[in-house]
Amino acid sequence: MGAGVLLVVGVGAALCLGTPFVAPYRLYAVFSGDGLEAVILTELRLPRMVLALAAGACLGAAGLVLQESLRNLLAVPEMIGVSSGAALGVAAPLVLALSVPAAVQPLLALGGAICGGALTLAAAGFGRSPSAVLLTGAAVSAALQAGLLVLMVLADQLDLQLIYRYLLGSLSARTWDDVTGLWPWLLVALPALVLGAPVLGVLRLGDDDARALGVRVRQARLGALTIAVVLIAPVVAVCGPVAWVGFLAPQLARRLCPRGDALSWLPWSVVWGALIVLCADQPARLALAPVETPVGAWTALLGVPVGVALLRTRRGTRKPGRSAANPGAVTTSRDSGPGVSR
C-alpha cells in the first residue's frame, strides 16, 4: 500500500511539477496536444521519469543479487568496480581531448563499466569466494578511482564540472534515446535474473551446504555476479553511479517480508529501487530550481541515515550466534544446524 502511494505521488510530481506547472486533470489533454507543455512532458519529463524507474529497478535488483550471492548485507554495486570503470571511460576522452562522436560516448561508459566488473571477477578468481570478490572489488575500485583522480587533475574547469556531475549521478537532460539504450540489456538480464533467483537462496546457506544440495557454487556465484554487472553497467553508463540505491532497496524488501527468500525479495527490491530514484529525482529537479542538483546526492542524503537505522535495527533484533563482523553471513550451530540470517 505504501509503495503504491509513493508511486502515484512520485509519478504525479515528475509529470506535473516544474516550469511550466501542469495540473493533474490536464495531463491527458496536454499529452494529446501539440503545444509547448506537450513537448515538455513527452520529450523531457516522461523519458526522465521512465529512466528513473528503470534505473532504480536495475540497481535494486543488482543490489539484492550481490548481497545474496556474496552473503553480506554490505555488498553494493559500488564495490565491484563497475561504477569506477564507467566514470573512467567517460572522463578519459574528455580530459585527453579525444574526438569521440556523440553516439559513441555512452558506449565508452558502458565499456568501462563492463571492464571494471570483468577485472574484479578475474582478479577474484571468478567467484572463488565471497570475501575474495568483495576485497578484490574494493581494491579494483580504489585503483580505478586513483586513475580517475589523475585525469581530473589534468582536466580544465568545464570538463571537471561535467565529470563531477556524472560522478554524483544525474538524470538531467536525458531523452528517449537514453531510455531505449537500457532495453537490450534488460532483455538479456531479466530472464537470467528470474531463473537464477532460486539459486541465490541456496548460495546464502554457505558454500558447503550449497555443494551438498548439488549446486556448482563457483559457477553459480560467477553467473550471479555477471547478471549484476549486466544490470549495473548500462545504468551507470547513462545516469552515472547513483549511490546507495543498491543497498537500500534490498534492505526495505527484507523489512517488508522478513521471513521470505531471494525469490520473494526480488520484486520488492525492484519496486523499492525504482521508487527511491524516482522520489529522489524530484528534489534534484525542484529544490534549487532553476539549477538542477545530481540525483545521486539526494539518494546519498536519504541512504545514509536510513541505511544506518536499518542496520542498527537488524543488529538489535538478530539472533544469538550471528557474526557481528559480517551481519549478512550464515552461521552454523552444532545443535540447530545451518541457519540463514533474515
Side-chain angles (χ1 to χ4, degrees), residues 96-181:
L96 300 177
L98 300 177
S99 179
V100 178
V104 180
Q105 291 177 0
L107 298 179
L108 293 175
L110 188 61
I114 294 175
C115 289
L119 182 59
T120 297
L121 295 180
F126 294 99
R128 182 176 68 250
S129 70
S131 59
V133 174
L134 280 178
L135 293 175
T136 305
V140 170
S141 296
L144 294 175
Q145 287 172 3
L148 181 61
L149 289 175
V150 172
L151 290 176
M152 292 173 68
V153 171
L154 302 175
D156 59 29
Q157 190 63 31
L158 179 58
D159 291 341
L160 196 59
Q161 291 179 1
L162 294 174
I163 294 172
Y164 270 128
R165 180 170 292 273
Y166 177 80
L167 288 176
L168 290 174
S170 177
L171 297 175
S172 178
R174 299 303 187 264
T175 64
W176 287 114
D177 292 336
D178 299 306
V179 177
T180 54

Side-chain angles (χ1 to χ4, degrees), residues 255 306-318:
R255 184 57 57 90
V306 174
V308 170
L310 289 173
L311 288 178
R312 288 178 64 88
T313 303
R314 289 182 64 89
R315 181 180 299 177
T317 59
R318 68 187 181 191

Side-chain angles (χ1 to χ4, degrees), residues 52-81:
L53 292 172
C58 290
L59 293 174
L64 180 68
V65 171
L66 291 174
Q67 292 176 15
E68 293 296 301
S69 61
L70 300 179
R71 306 199 306 275
N72 194 314
L73 298 180
L74 302 180
V76 291
E78 293 79 17
M79 288 289 291
I80 59 174

